[in-house]
Amino acid sequence: MNSSALFRAKHQLWLRLSFLSFSTPDLALKNRLYEFSQIEFRHLKWLSETLCAQGIGYDYGRDKTFGIEFKTLAEGIRAAIEEIGSLRRLYDGTPLCERMVHDERFFLSFLERSLESAQTPLSAFDRSRVWPDVPLTPAQTDALTLFLFEESYKEYELILVYLYRLARATTATQSSSFTDLIDESHFHLRSFAEMMAAMGILGLPRELHPRTYEIDDMKKFIRNGITEEENAKEECRRLSGAITDEQLSSFFEFINFQESYHIEIMKKLLEEKTWKN
């Protein structure tokens, strides 16, 4: 098994299926693709734990040619089919790889059937910058656009950083806390990305530098994380007050209160004394 190549390919396949889900307007297909992406993320989790236990390094880099923007859903599905097919050469006969193979065999059969009705043009990348439910002023549109780009990157970053730490958890508290924070960030990423798709501004978050997740001082990292969550809360409150649409304002208040509990989880992690690098 080529560990580093496999980890990169699985990371990209998780992104591929996630962003296909975010971009499609078909609700049933959207949900199915997202379910597949979550299974791929589980593969990534198991793989990271395996590599960590074996002392094998890995990173969150992506191929320079990797992208998620397509004119039609069919183009995106074909890209996913090709990527799944290319993974076979990276697998060996371990139980983990066998699980991945069987999962992806089912994914392929579903994706190939979906191609027949997937010629729908995608508007998720058309840069219209129009919120479909209610007219926004140019200033509100600019504020919402900036917020969505910043927060979608933040949630992507947190998912991967917490995944890195989860593989190195030394206590039940660490494992439980990072699992909860990953799950919450998945929900936030999906919410923000689907809002971006509705406005035609869906985009791939930038890559993470290894310094982002290779952390020597966990106490400092957690304190900085608490500050970042507090800043996100403030931005949610500001947007909630600035945007007159009741549905959007309610959503930002909802996210604001979720961030409050994330801070409580991170405060609990500050009490931990043993960390594995």
Side-chain angles (χ1 to χ4, degrees):
M1 178 173 65
N2 186 334
S3 303
S4 59
L6 178 58
F7 192 86
R8 174 171 292 207
K10 296 293 283 186
H11 173 202
Q12 291 179 171
L13 184 54
W14 163 59
L15 285 172
R16 168 75 63 226
L17 294 172
S18 295
F19 279 80
L20 273 176
S21 167
F22 303 151
S23 65
T24 179
D26 183 306
L27 185 58
L29 183 57
K30 175 188 292 292
N31 289 335
R32 197 59 161 164
L33 288 170
Y34 191 72
E35 288 169 355
F36 290 168
S37 78
Q38 289 298 286
I39 293 173
E40 283 297 335
F41 187 81
R42 207 169 302 132
H43 292 181
L44 202 62
K45 171 182 176 290
W46 293 333
L47 185 56
S48 67
E49 291 169 347
T50 299
L51 297 179
C52 182
Q54 295 174 352
I56 299 173
Y58 58 92
D59 61 48
Y60 291 127
R62 304 191 301 249
D63 293 342
K64 293 186 183 301
T65 56
F66 181 77
I68 50 91
E69 296 192 18
F70 299 98
K71 292 182 179 179
T72 68
L73 183 60
E75 293 177 1
I77 290 176
R78 288 192 189 95
I81 289 172
E82 290 176 8
E83 286 173 16
I84 292 172
S86 70
L87 282 170
R88 292 174 183 169
R89 62 183 174 81
L90 300 176
Y91 290 144
D92 57 19
T94 61
L96 175 55
C97 285
E98 286 298 305
R99 164 63 191 264
M100 294 174 180
V101 166
H102 284 283
D103 283 351
E104 287 162 0
R105 188 174 298 158
F106 178 75
F107 297 172
L108 275 176
S109 65
F110 177 85
L111 291 170
E112 287 166 352
R113 290 196 308 272
S114 300
L115 269 176
E116 299 175 7
S117 56
Q119 299 305 318
T120 309
L122 294 177
S123 61
F125 313 105
D126 66 10
R127 306 296 187 267
S128 63
R129 291 215 314 146
V130 175
W131 181 245
D133 294 335
V134 66
L136 300 179
T137 67
Q140 291 172 337
T141 299
D142 288 345
L144 181 56
T145 299
L146 181 61
F147 174 84
L148 291 174
F149 272 104
E150 289 181 343
E151 290 301 303
S152 63
Y153 170 72
K154 186 197 87 168
E155 300 300 343
Y156 169 67
E157 176 187 74
L158 290 178
I159 288 168
L160 295 185
V161 172
Y162 294 148
L163 177 64
Y164 196 85
R165 297 313 316 174
L166 180 60
R168 291 156 178 77
T170 60
T171 68
T173 294
Q174 291 174 22
S175 180
S176 173
S177 297
F178 287 126
T179 297
D180 286 343
L181 289 168
I182 288 169
D183 290 345
E184 294 279 281
S185 287
H186 273 302
F187 172 75
H188 288 190
L189 176 61
R190 184 182 188 183
S191 298
F192 297 144
E194 290 187 349
M195 291 173 71
M196 294 172 78
M199 295 179 69
I201 56 172
L202 184 61
L204 189 65
R206 63 186 180 273
E207 287 187 42
L208 273 64
H209 191 280
R211 286 195 299 267
T212 309
Y213 49 89
E214 293 175 355
I215 302 162
D216 294 326
D217 188 340
M218 281 301 297
K219 298 283 188 183
K220 180 180 178 181
F221 167 76
I222 294 167
R223 286 193 292 269
N224 289 342
I226 290 172
T227 300
E228 191 173 82
E229 295 287 5
E230 288 171 341
N231 290 339
K233 281 171 54 63
E234 181 59 36
E235 186 61 20
C236 282
R237 284 194 293 267
R238 190 183 71 79
L239 271 175
S240 178
I243 293 178
T244 54
D245 177 47
E246 184 176 341
Q247 183 178 351
L248 276 176
S249 295
S250 176
F251 171 74
F252 291 129
E253 283 296 317
F254 167 66
I255 295 296
N256 177 31
F257 281 106
Q258 289 198 337
E259 302 285 11
S260 295
Y261 194 66
H262 296 174
I263 291 172
E264 296 305 312
I265 294 175
M266 297 176 84
K267 285 179 179 177
K268 185 168 60 175
L269 284 170
L270 276 176
E271 300 172 6
E272 292 289 294
K273 301 189 184 330
T274 306
W275 296 96
K276 178 180 177 180
N277 290 331

